[in-house]
Amino acid sequence: MIEKLTKEYLDDLLVRLAHHSSAIEGNTITLNQTVSIILNDTIPGSINKREFYEVENHKQAFEYIQHNLLNNEKLSLGVIKEIHRLLLDHLDFNRGNFKNISNAIVGAEFDTASPEQTPNLMYQWLNNYEYLIENAQTEEEKVRIILEKHIEFERIHPFNDGNGRTGRMIMLYSLLENNLPPIIISKELKPRYILGLAEQDTNLLYDLAQPLIEKEKDRMQKFQNKIN
């Protein structure tokens, strides 16, 4: 799919992903400031250094997944680790590696995987994802599988930090790899999104995602119309 998307649309997609995915994690940089950082290489005044990199790093991670998808690179543990390494540049000393310390999710009533469990769980996660996607028959099945695996990824919480941003970038990778429209979860939808993750409710996330997919199809078409 990615080879059919216009540069303007991809720029728009990147800006929205960087802004909303970071905002879900508490980043306060505005959408307009994100445009300045991502597209204009301009740093607006009085921006927190960490928040700047949380947004800015989406650019190099997004360029990486574009390159991979154009070269038909399948999702792999190596790809997942590299996405994390790029997203956590300047932010985490252990970037690009699975966690080496135990971590937790604020407000969660379950334990994330231990550092010792994580490599094997992620290996199983990927194998199961590949099997389910290969045997899916419809677009809806594929979207549901990707959302279900997103929930599982976040519960494993395989990295020291940046699991939310990494998980949403992986979800984008999976959707585009399977010729599906992107899903950009806006910061306004955070309460429902977090509830879906906490309750392991794929149906809730699918109900949340379905109108976003339809809006994204329309947005893609509008950008396509501009060059016709």
Side-chain angles (χ1 to χ4, degrees), residues 12-177:
D12 172 74
L13 178 63
L14 169 57
V15 166
R16 289 183 291 122
L17 175 66
H19 171 64
H20 289 290
S21 190
S22 299
I24 285 172
E25 304 302 325
N27 191 293
T28 61
I29 291 175
T30 68
L31 183 59
N32 286 338
Q33 288 173 328
T34 303
V35 171
S36 295
I37 292 168
I38 296 290
L39 300 184
N40 302 328
D41 289 323
T42 301
I43 304 175
S46 303
I47 281 185
N48 176 280
K49 187 176 181 180
R50 182 175 184 85
E51 288 199 332
F52 165 76
Y53 281 120
E54 286 174 352
V55 169
E56 166 71 4
N57 288 347
H58 279 79
K59 186 174 184 178
Q60 58 188 9
F62 191 69
E63 288 171 351
Y64 170 72
I65 72 169
Q66 284 187 72
H67 173 80
N68 275 14
L69 291 169
L70 287 171
N71 287 281
N72 298 311
E73 184 79 24
K74 293 183 66 176
L75 186 66
S76 66
L77 294 184
V79 168
I80 290 170
K81 287 181 176 181
E82 182 63 8
I83 288 172
H84 182 264
R85 188 186 73 81
L86 294 168
L87 281 174
L88 274 290
D89 193 20
H90 297 93
L91 298 172
D92 185 359
F93 72 93
N94 197 46
R95 60 189 180 277
N97 299 299
F98 289 141
K99 60 187 171 185
N100 55 11
I101 55 174
S102 297
N103 56 10
I105 302 172
V106 175
E109 296 180 347
F110 61 88
D111 292 329
T112 63
S114 70
E116 295 75 23
Q117 294 171 319
T118 294
N120 188 50
L121 287 175
M122 285 302 299
Y123 177 78
Q124 294 175 10
W125 179 93
L126 182 65
N127 282 349
N128 186 244
Y129 162 77
E130 290 174 342
Y131 173 80
L132 291 171
I133 284 291
E134 286 174 6
N135 289 279
Q137 301 297 314
T138 66
E139 178 177 303
E140 179 179 339
E141 275 186 83
K142 290 181 179 180
V143 171
R144 285 183 177 275
I145 289 164
I146 290 167
L147 292 172
E148 178 183 348
K149 302 313 287 186
H150 179 60
I151 292 171
E152 292 177 10
F153 177 91
E154 297 302 337
R155 291 178 74 87
I156 295 171
H157 235 54
F159 299 105
N160 285 351
D161 189 23
N163 291 283
R165 281 166 283 145
T166 302
R168 288 183 289 277
M169 186 70 81
I170 293 168
M171 181 166 63
L172 176 67
Y173 195 109
S174 300
L175 290 162
L176 292 174
E177 181 185 16

